[in-house]
Coordinates of all heavy atoms in Angstrom, one line a residue:
A469 N 0.8 -1.2 0.0 CA 0.0 0.0 0.0 C 0.9 1.3 0.0 O 0.5 2.2 -0.6 CB -0.9 0.0 1.2
S470 N 2.0 1.2 0.6 CA 2.8 2.4 0.7 C 3.6 2.6 -0.6 O 4.3 3.7 -0.7 CB 3.8 2.3 1.9 OG 4.6 1.2 1.7
G471 N 3.6 1.7 -1.5 CA 4.3 1.8 -2.8 C 3.7 2.7 -3.8 O 4.2 2.8 -4.9
G472 N 2.5 3.3 -3.5 CA 1.9 4.2 -4.4 C 1.0 3.5 -5.5 O 0.6 4.1 -6.4
V473 N 0.7 2.2 -5.3 CA -0.2 1.6 -6.2 C -1.6 2.1 -6.0 O -2.1 2.2 -4.9 CB -0.1 0.0 -6.0 CG1 -1.1 -0.7 -6.9 CG2 1.3 -0.5 -6.3
R474 N -2.3 2.4 -7.1 CA -3.7 2.8 -7.0 C -4.6 1.8 -7.7 O -4.2 1.2 -8.7 CB -3.9 4.2 -7.7 CG -3.1 5.3 -7.0 CD -3.4 6.6 -7.7 NE -2.6 7.6 -7.0 CZ -3.1 8.7 -6.4 NH1 -4.4 8.8 -6.4 NH2 -2.3 9.5 -5.8
F475 N -5.8 1.6 -7.1 CA -6.7 0.7 -7.7 C -8.1 1.3 -7.5 O -8.3 2.1 -6.5 CB -6.6 -0.7 -7.2 CG -6.4 -0.8 -5.7 CD1 -7.5 -1.0 -4.8 CD2 -5.1 -0.7 -5.2 CE1 -7.3 -1.1 -3.5 CE2 -4.9 -0.8 -3.8 CZ -6.0 -1.0 -3.0
G476 N -9.1 0.9 -8.3 CA -10.4 1.5 -8.3 C -11.4 0.9 -7.3 O -12.2 1.6 -6.7
E477 N -11.2 -0.4 -7.0 CA -12.1 -1.0 -6.0 C -11.3 -2.0 -5.2 O -10.5 -2.8 -5.7 CB -13.2 -1.7 -6.7 CG -14.3 -2.3 -5.8 CD -15.6 -2.6 -6.4 OE1 -15.7 -2.5 -7.7 OE2 -16.5 -2.9 -5.7
L478 N -11.7 -2.1 -4.0 CA -11.1 -3.1 -3.0 C -12.3 -3.9 -2.5 O -13.3 -3.3 -1.9 CB -10.3 -2.5 -1.9 CG -9.8 -3.4 -0.8 CD1 -8.8 -4.4 -1.4 CD2 -9.2 -2.6 0.3
I479 N -12.3 -5.2 -2.6 CA -13.3 -6.1 -2.0 C -12.7 -6.8 -0.8 O -11.7 -7.6 -1.0 CB -13.9 -7.0 -3.0 CG1 -14.5 -6.2 -4.2 CG2 -15.0 -7.9 -2.4 CD1 -15.0 -7.0 -5.4
V480 N -13.2 -6.6 0.4 CA -12.7 -7.2 1.6 C -13.7 -8.3 2.0 O -14.8 -8.0 2.4 CB -12.4 -6.2 2.7 CG1 -11.8 -6.9 3.9 CG2 -11.6 -5.1 2.2
C481 N -13.3 -9.6 1.9 CA -14.2 -10.7 2.3 C -13.8 -11.3 3.6 O -12.7 -11.7 3.8 CB -14.1 -11.8 1.2 SG -14.6 -11.2 -0.4
G482 N -14.8 -11.3 4.5 CA -14.7 -12.0 5.8 C -13.6 -11.4 6.7 O -13.0 -12.1 7.5
S483 N -13.5 -10.0 6.6 CA -12.4 -9.4 7.4 C -12.6 -7.9 7.4 O -13.5 -7.4 6.7 CB -11.1 -9.7 6.7 OG -10.0 -9.1 7.5
T484 N -11.9 -7.2 8.2 CA -11.7 -5.8 8.2 C -10.5 -5.5 7.4 O -9.8 -6.4 6.9 CB -11.6 -5.2 9.6 OG1 -10.6 -5.8 10.3 CG2 -12.9 -5.4 10.4
L485 N -10.2 -4.2 7.2 CA -9.0 -3.8 6.5 C -7.7 -4.4 7.2 O -7.7 -4.3 8.4 CB -8.8 -2.3 6.3 CG -9.8 -1.6 5.4 CD1 -9.7 -0.1 5.6 CD2 -9.7 -2.0 4.0
P486 N -6.7 -4.8 6.4 CA -5.5 -5.2 7.1 C -4.8 -4.0 7.7 O -5.0 -2.9 7.2 CB -4.7 -5.8 6.0 CG -5.3 -5.4 4.7 CD -6.7 -5.0 5.0
P487 N -4.0 -4.2 8.7 CA -3.4 -3.0 9.4 C -2.5 -2.1 8.5 O -2.4 -0.9 8.8 CB -2.5 -3.6 10.5 CG -2.7 -5.1 10.4 CD -3.6 -5.4 9.3
E488 N -2.0 -2.7 7.4 CA -1.1 -1.8 6.6 C -1.9 -0.9 5.6 O -1.3 -0.1 5.0 CB -0.1 -2.7 5.8 CG -0.7 -3.7 4.8 CD -1.1 -5.0 5.4 OE1 -1.1 -5.2 6.6 OE2 -1.4 -5.9 4.6
L489 N -3.2 -1.1 5.6 CA -4.1 -0.3 4.8 C -4.9 0.6 5.7 O -5.6 0.2 6.5 CB -5.0 -1.1 3.9 CG -4.5 -1.8 2.7 CD1 -5.5 -2.6 2.0 CD2 -3.8 -0.8 1.7
S490 N -4.8 1.9 5.5 CA -5.6 2.8 6.2 C -6.4 3.7 5.2 O -6.1 3.7 4.0 CB -4.8 3.7 7.1 OG -4.0 4.6 6.3
P491 N -7.4 4.4 5.6 CA -8.2 5.2 4.7 C -7.3 6.2 3.9 O -7.6 6.4 2.7 CB -9.2 6.0 5.6 CG -9.4 5.0 6.7 CD -8.0 4.4 7.0
C492 N -6.2 6.6 4.4 CA -5.4 7.6 3.6 C -4.7 6.8 2.5 O -4.3 7.5 1.5 CB -4.3 8.2 4.5 SG -3.1 7.1 5.2
H493 N -4.5 5.5 2.5 CA -4.0 4.8 1.4 C -5.0 4.5 0.3 O -4.6 4.0 -0.7 CB -3.4 3.4 1.9 CG -2.2 3.5 2.8 ND1 -2.3 3.2 4.1 CD2 -1.0 4.0 2.6 CE1 -1.1 3.4 4.7 NE2 -0.3 3.9 3.8
L494 N -6.3 4.7 0.6 CA -7.3 4.3 -0.2 C -8.1 5.4 -0.8 O -9.3 5.2 -1.1 CB -8.3 3.3 0.5 CG -7.6 2.0 1.0 CD1 -8.6 1.3 1.9 CD2 -7.2 1.2 -0.1
S495 N -7.5 6.5 -1.0 CA -8.3 7.7 -1.6 C -8.8 7.3 -3.0 O -8.1 6.7 -3.8 CB -7.4 8.9 -1.6 OG -6.3 8.7 -2.4
H496 N -10.0 7.7 -3.2 CA -10.7 7.4 -4.5 C -10.9 6.0 -4.8 O -10.9 5.6 -6.0 CB -9.9 8.1 -5.7 CG -9.7 9.6 -5.4 ND1 -10.7 10.5 -5.3 CD2 -8.5 10.2 -5.2 CE1 -10.1 11.7 -5.1 NE2 -8.8 11.6 -5.0
T497 N -10.9 5.1 -3.8 CA -11.1 3.7 -4.0 C -12.5 3.3 -3.4 O -12.8 3.6 -2.3 CB -10.0 2.9 -3.2 OG1 -8.7 3.3 -3.7 CG2 -10.2 1.4 -3.4
R498 N -13.3 2.6 -4.2 CA -14.5 2.0 -3.7 C -14.1 0.8 -2.9 O -13.3 0.0 -3.3 CB -15.4 1.6 -4.8 CG -16.0 2.7 -5.7 CD -16.9 2.1 -6.7 NE -16.3 1.1 -7.5 CZ -15.7 1.3 -8.7 NH1 -15.6 2.5 -9.2 NH2 -15.1 0.3 -9.4
V499 N -14.7 0.7 -1.7 CA -14.4 -0.4 -0.8 C -15.7 -1.1 -0.5 O -16.7 -0.5 -0.1 CB -13.8 0.1 0.5 CG1 -13.5 -1.1 1.5 CG2 -12.5 0.9 0.2
T500 N -15.7 -2.4 -0.7 CA -16.8 -3.3 -0.3 C -16.4 -4.3 0.7 O -15.4 -5.0 0.6 CB -17.3 -4.1 -1.6 OG1 -17.8 -3.1 -2.5 CG2 -18.5 -5.0 -1.2
F501 N -17.1 -4.3 1.8 CA -16.9 -5.3 2.9 C -18.0 -6.4 2.7 O -19.1 -6.1 2.6 CB -17.0 -4.7 4.3 CG -16.0 -3.7 4.7 CD1 -16.1 -2.4 4.5 CD2 -14.7 -4.2 5.1 CE1 -15.2 -1.5 4.9 CE2 -13.7 -3.3 5.5 CZ -13.9 -1.9 5.4
M502 N -17.5 -7.6 2.6 CA -18.5 -8.7 2.4 C -18.3 -9.7 3.6 O -17.3 -10.3 3.8 CB -18.2 -9.4 1.1 CG -19.2 -10.5 0.7 SD -18.8 -11.0 -0.9 CE -20.2 -12.1 -1.2
V503 N -19.3 -9.7 4.5 CA -19.2 -10.5 5.7 C -20.5 -11.3 6.0 O -21.6 -10.8 5.7 CB -18.8 -9.6 6.9 CG1 -17.5 -9.0 6.7 CG2 -19.9 -8.6 7.2
G504 N -20.3 -12.4 6.7 CA -21.5 -13.2 7.1 C -22.1 -12.5 8.4 O -21.3 -12.0 9.2
R505 N -23.4 -12.6 8.5 CA -24.0 -12.0 9.7 C -23.6 -12.6 11.0 O -23.6 -12.0 12.0 CB -25.5 -12.0 9.5 CG -26.1 -11.1 8.5 CD -27.6 -11.1 8.4 NE -28.0 -10.2 7.4 CZ -28.2 -10.6 6.1 NH1 -27.9 -11.8 5.7 NH2 -28.5 -9.7 5.2
D506 N -23.2 -13.9 10.9 CA -22.7 -14.6 12.1 C -21.2 -14.9 12.1 O -20.8 -15.8 12.8 CB -23.5 -15.9 12.2 CG -25.0 -15.7 12.3 OD1 -25.4 -14.8 13.0 OD2 -25.8 -16.5 11.7
D507 N -20.5 -14.1 11.4 CA -19.0 -14.3 11.3 C -18.4 -14.0 12.6 O -18.3 -12.8 13.0 CB -18.4 -13.5 10.2 CG -17.0 -13.9 9.8 OD1 -16.3 -14.4 10.7 OD2 -16.6 -13.8 8.7
Q508 N -17.8 -15.0 13.3 CA -17.2 -14.8 14.6 C -15.8 -14.2 14.5 O -15.2 -13.8 15.5 CB -17.2 -16.1 15.4 CG -16.3 -17.2 14.9 CD -16.9 -18.0 13.8 OE1 -17.8 -17.7 13.1 NE2 -16.2 -19.2 13.5
F509 N -15.3 -14.1 13.3 CA -13.9 -13.6 13.2 C -13.9 -12.1 12.8 O -12.8 -11.5 12.8 CB -13.2 -14.3 12.1 CG -13.0 -15.8 12.4 CD1 -13.7 -16.8 11.8 CD2 -12.0 -16.2 13.3 CE1 -13.5 -18.1 12.1 CE2 -11.9 -17.5 13.7 CZ -12.6 -18.5 13.0
V510 N -15.0 -11.5 12.5 CA -15.1 -10.1 12.1 C -15.5 -9.3 13.4 O -16.5 -9.5 14.0 CB -16.1 -9.8 11.0 CG1 -16.2 -8.3 10.7 CG2 -15.6 -10.6 9.7
N511 N -14.6 -8.3 13.7 CA -14.9 -7.4 14.9 C -15.8 -6.3 14.3 O -15.4 -5.5 13.5 CB -13.6 -6.8 15.4 CG -13.8 -5.9 16.5 OD1 -14.7 -5.1 16.5 ND2 -12.9 -6.0 17.5
R512 N -17.1 -6.4 14.7 CA -18.1 -5.4 14.2 C -17.8 -4.0 14.5 O -18.0 -3.1 13.7 CB -19.5 -5.8 14.6 CG -20.0 -7.1 14.1 CD -20.1 -7.1 12.6 NE -20.4 -8.4 12.0 CZ -21.1 -8.5 10.9 NH1 -21.6 -7.5 10.3 NH2 -21.4 -9.7 10.5
E513 N -17.3 -3.7 15.7 CA -16.9 -2.4 16.1 C -15.8 -1.8 15.2 O -15.9 -0.7 14.7 CB -16.5 -2.3 17.6 CG -17.7 -2.5 18.5 CD -17.2 -2.5 20.0 OE1 -16.1 -2.3 20.2 OE2 -18.1 -2.8 20.8
E514 N -14.8 -2.7 14.9 CA -13.7 -2.2 14.1 C -14.2 -2.0 12.6 O -13.8 -1.1 11.9 CB -12.6 -3.3 14.1 CG -11.4 -2.9 13.2 CD -10.3 -4.0 13.3 OE1 -10.4 -4.9 14.1 OE2 -9.4 -3.8 12.5
L515 N -15.1 -2.9 12.2 CA -15.7 -2.8 10.8 C -16.4 -1.4 10.7 O -16.2 -0.7 9.7 CB -16.6 -4.0 10.5 CG -17.4 -3.9 9.2 CD1 -16.4 -4.0 8.0 CD2 -18.3 -5.1 9.2
E516 N -17.3 -1.1 11.7 CA -18.0 0.1 11.6 C -17.1 1.3 11.7 O -17.3 2.3 11.0 CB -19.1 0.2 12.8 CG -20.3 -0.7 12.5 CD -21.0 -0.3 11.2 OE1 -21.2 0.9 10.9 OE2 -21.3 -1.2 10.4
A517 N -16.1 1.3 12.5 CA -15.1 2.4 12.6 C -14.4 2.6 11.3 O -14.2 3.7 10.8 CB -14.1 2.1 13.7
Q518 N -14.0 1.5 10.6 CA -13.4 1.6 9.3 C -14.3 2.1 8.2 O -13.9 3.0 7.4 CB -12.8 0.2 8.9 CG -11.6 -0.2 9.7 CD -11.0 -1.5 9.2 OE1 -11.5 -2.2 8.4 NE2 -9.9 -1.9 9.9
R519 N -15.6 1.7 8.3 CA -16.6 2.2 7.3 C -16.7 3.7 7.5 O -16.7 4.5 6.5 CB -17.9 1.5 7.5 CG -18.1 0.2 6.9 CD -19.5 -0.4 7.2 NE -20.5 0.4 6.5 CZ -21.8 0.2 6.7 NH1 -22.2 -0.6 7.6 NH2 -22.6 0.9 6.0
N520 N -16.8 4.1 8.7 CA -17.0 5.6 9.0 C -15.8 6.4 8.6 O -15.9 7.4 8.0 CB -17.3 5.8 10.5 CG -18.7 5.3 10.9 OD1 -19.6 5.1 10.1 ND2 -18.8 4.9 12.1
A521 N -14.6 5.9 8.9 CA -13.4 6.6 8.5 C -13.2 6.7 7.0 O -12.9 7.7 6.4 CB -12.1 5.9 9.1
L522 N -13.5 5.6 6.3 CA -13.5 5.6 4.8 C -14.5 6.5 4.2 O -14.2 7.3 3.3 CB -13.7 4.2 4.3 CG -12.5 3.2 4.5 CD1 -13.0 1.8 4.3 CD2 -11.4 3.5 3.5
Q523 N -15.7 6.5 4.7 CA -16.7 7.4 4.2 C -16.4 8.9 4.5 O -16.6 9.8 3.7 CB -18.1 7.1 4.8 CG -18.7 5.8 4.3 CD -19.9 5.4 5.0 OE1 -20.2 5.6 6.2 NE2 -20.8 4.6 4.2
S524 N -15.8 9.1 5.7 CA -15.4 10.5 6.0 C -14.3 11.0 5.1 O -14.2 12.2 4.9 CB -14.9 10.6 7.5 OG -16.0 10.4 8.4
A525 N -13.5 10.1 4.6 CA -12.4 10.4 3.7 C -12.9 10.5 2.3 O -12.1 10.8 1.4 CB -11.3 9.4 3.8
G526 N -14.2 10.3 2.0 CA -14.7 10.5 0.7 C -14.8 9.2 -0.1 O -15.1 9.3 -1.3
N527 N -14.6 8.1 0.5 CA -14.7 6.8 -0.3 C -16.1 6.4 -0.3 O -16.9 6.6 0.6 CB -13.8 5.7 0.4 CG -12.4 6.1 0.5 OD1 -11.9 6.9 1.2 ND2 -11.6 5.4 -0.4
A528 N -16.4 5.7 -1.5 CA -17.7 5.0 -1.6 C -17.5 3.7 -0.9 O -16.6 2.9 -1.2 CB -18.1 4.8 -3.0
V529 N -18.4 3.4 0.1 CA -18.2 2.2 0.9 C -19.6 1.5 1.0 O -20.6 2.1 1.1 CB -17.8 2.5 2.4 CG1 -17.6 1.2 3.2 CG2 -16.5 3.3 2.4
R530 N -19.5 0.1 0.8 CA -20.8 -0.6 0.9 C -20.5 -1.9 1.8 O -19.3 -2.4 1.8 CB -21.4 -1.0 -0.4 CG -20.6 -1.9 -1.2 CD -21.3 -2.1 -2.6 NE -20.3 -2.7 -3.5 CZ -20.6 -3.2 -4.7 NH1 -21.8 -3.1 -5.1 NH2 -19.7 -3.7 -5.4
L531 N -21.5 -2.3 2.5 CA -21.4 -3.5 3.3 C -22.4 -4.5 2.7 O -23.6 -4.2 2.6 CB -21.8 -3.2 4.7 CG -21.9 -4.4 5.7 CD1 -20.5 -5.1 5.8 CD2 -22.4 -4.0 7.0
V532 N -21.8 -5.7 2.3 CA -22.7 -6.7 1.8 C -22.7 -7.8 2.9 O -21.6 -8.4 3.2 CB -22.1 -7.3 0.5 CG1 -22.9 -8.5 0.0 CG2 -22.0 -6.2 -0.6
E533 N -23.8 -8.0 3.5 CA -23.9 -9.1 4.5 C -24.7 -10.3 3.9 O -25.7 -10.1 3.1 CB -24.7 -8.6 5.7 CG -23.8 -7.5 6.5 CD -24.5 -7.1 7.7 OE1 -25.5 -6.4 7.6 OE2 -24.0 -7.5 8.8
F534 N -24.3 -11.5 4.3 CA -25.0 -12.6 3.9 C -25.3 -13.5 5.1 O -24.7 -13.4 6.1 CB -24.3 -13.4 2.8 CG -22.9 -13.8 3.2 CD1 -22.6 -15.0 3.8 CD2 -21.8 -12.9 3.0 CE1 -21.3 -15.3 4.2 CE2 -20.5 -13.2 3.4 CZ -20.3 -14.5 4.0
D535 N -26.3 -14.4 4.9 CA -26.6 -15.3 6.0 C -25.5 -16.3 6.2 O -24.9 -16.8 5.2 CB -27.9 -16.1 5.7 CG -29.1 -15.2 5.7 OD1 -29.1 -14.2 6.5 OD2 -30.1 -15.5 5.0
G536 N -25.1 -16.5 7.4 CA -24.0 -17.5 7.6 C -22.8 -16.9 8.4 O -22.9 -15.8 8.9
G537 N -21.8 -17.7 8.5 CA -20.6 -17.2 9.2 C -19.4 -16.8 8.4 O -19.6 -16.0 7.5
H538 N -18.3 -17.4 8.6 CA -17.1 -16.9 7.9 C -16.9 -17.5 6.5 O -16.2 -16.9 5.7 CB -15.9 -17.3 8.8 CG -14.6 -16.7 8.4 ND1 -14.4 -15.3 8.5 CD2 -13.4 -17.2 7.9 CE1 -13.2 -15.0 8.1 NE2 -12.6 -16.2 7.7
R539 N -17.5 -18.6 6.2 CA -17.4 -19.2 4.9 C -18.4 -18.5 3.9 O -19.5 -18.3 4.2 CB -17.8 -20.7 5.0 CG -17.7 -21.4 3.7 CD -17.8 -22.9 3.8 NE -16.4 -23.3 4.2 CZ -16.2 -24.6 4.6 NH1 -17.1 -25.5 4.6 NH2 -14.9 -24.9 4.8
I540 N -17.8 -18.2 2.8 CA -18.6 -17.5 1.7 C -19.0 -18.6 0.7 O -18.1 -19.2 0.0 CB -17.8 -16.4 1.1 CG1 -17.5 -15.3 2.2 CG2 -18.6 -15.7 0.0 CD1 -16.6 -14.2 1.7
A541 N -20.3 -18.7 0.5 CA -20.7 -19.7 -0.6 C -20.5 -19.0 -1.9 O -20.6 -17.8 -2.1 CB -22.2 -20.0 -0.3
A542 N -20.3 -19.9 -2.9 CA -20.1 -19.4 -4.3 C -21.3 -18.6 -4.8 O -21.1 -17.6 -5.5 CB -19.9 -20.6 -5.2
S543 N -22.5 -18.9 -4.3 CA -23.7 -18.2 -4.8 C -23.6 -16.7 -4.3 O -24.2 -15.8 -4.9 CB -24.9 -18.9 -4.3 OG -24.9 -18.9 -2.8
E544 N -23.0 -16.4 -3.2 CA -22.8 -15.1 -2.7 C -22.0 -14.2 -3.6 O -22.1 -13.0 -3.7 CB -22.3 -15.0 -1.2 CG -23.2 -15.8 -0.2 CD -24.5 -15.1 -0.1 OE1 -24.7 -13.9 -0.3 OE2 -25.4 -15.9 0.4
L545 N -21.0 -14.9 -4.2 CA -20.1 -14.1 -5.1 C -20.8 -13.7 -6.4 O -20.2 -12.9 -7.1 CB -18.9 -15.0 -5.4 CG -18.1 -15.3 -4.2 CD1 -16.9 -16.3 -4.6 CD2 -17.5 -14.1 -3.5
L546 N -22.0 -14.2 -6.7 CA -22.7 -13.8 -7.9 C -23.1 -12.3 -7.8 O -23.5 -11.7 -8.8 CB -23.9 -14.7 -8.1 CG -23.6 -16.1 -8.4 CD1 -24.9 -16.9 -8.5 CD2 -22.8 -16.3 -9.7
F547 N -23.1 -11.8 -6.6 CA -23.4 -10.4 -6.3 C -22.5 -9.5 -7.2 O -22.9 -8.4 -7.7 CB -23.1 -10.0 -4.8 CG -23.3 -8.6 -4.5 CD1 -24.6 -8.1 -4.3 CD2 -22.2 -7.7 -4.4 CE1 -24.8 -6.7 -4.0 CE2 -22.4 -6.4 -4.1 CZ -23.7 -5.9 -3.9
F548 N -21.3 -9.9 -7.5 CA -20.3 -9.1 -8.2 C -20.4 -9.5 -9.7 O -19.8 -9.0 -10.5 CB -18.9 -9.4 -7.7 CG -18.8 -9.0 -6.2 CD1 -18.9 -9.9 -5.2 CD2 -18.7 -7.6 -5.9 CE1 -18.8 -9.5 -3.9 CE2 -18.6 -7.3 -4.6 CZ -18.6 -8.2 -3.6

């Protein structure tokens, strides 16, 4: 992320942003978080804080939630 690589969209599946990526590294990047409603590995408070920080920085952010836990069924990927 610190190497100056730019991309138009980031899809984060079953996780929050990795520590090396912060909203300042993602300017002008659409970010989609895709998580299961019962995912025990996703810290919801951290997810909401990251969503708010990204939105405050002007990023388009969406949250795609699906029924289930940490495993993503292939049918959920049809969203994209």
Side-chain angles (χ1 to χ4, degrees):
S470 61
V473 175
R474 293 181 184 243
F475 43 96
E477 184 165 9
L478 173 66
I479 301 170
V480 183
C481 297
S483 182
T484 54
L485 291 174
E488 64 272 11
L489 285 180
S490 69
C492 67
H493 293 116
L494 298 171
S495 62
H496 309 293
T497 302
R498 291 182 308 267
V499 180
T500 298
F501 291 99
M502 188 171 186
V503 298
R505 288 183 183 88
D506 300 320
D507 193 329
Q508 68 274 21
F509 296 105
V510 175
N511 180 319
R512 295 295 175 151
E513 290 177 4
E514 183 178 351
L515 177 63
E516 284 303 313
Q518 289 182 356
R519 280 180 69 190
N520 291 336
L522 288 163
Q523 288 173 332
S524 293
N527 296 74
V529 182
R530 65 182 166 174
L531 173 62
V532 177
E533 292 184 289
F534 56 89
D535 292 330
H538 193 65
R539 179 170 278 173
I540 300 173
S543 61
E544 298 297 335
L545 298 176
L546 296 175
F547 176 82
F548 300 98

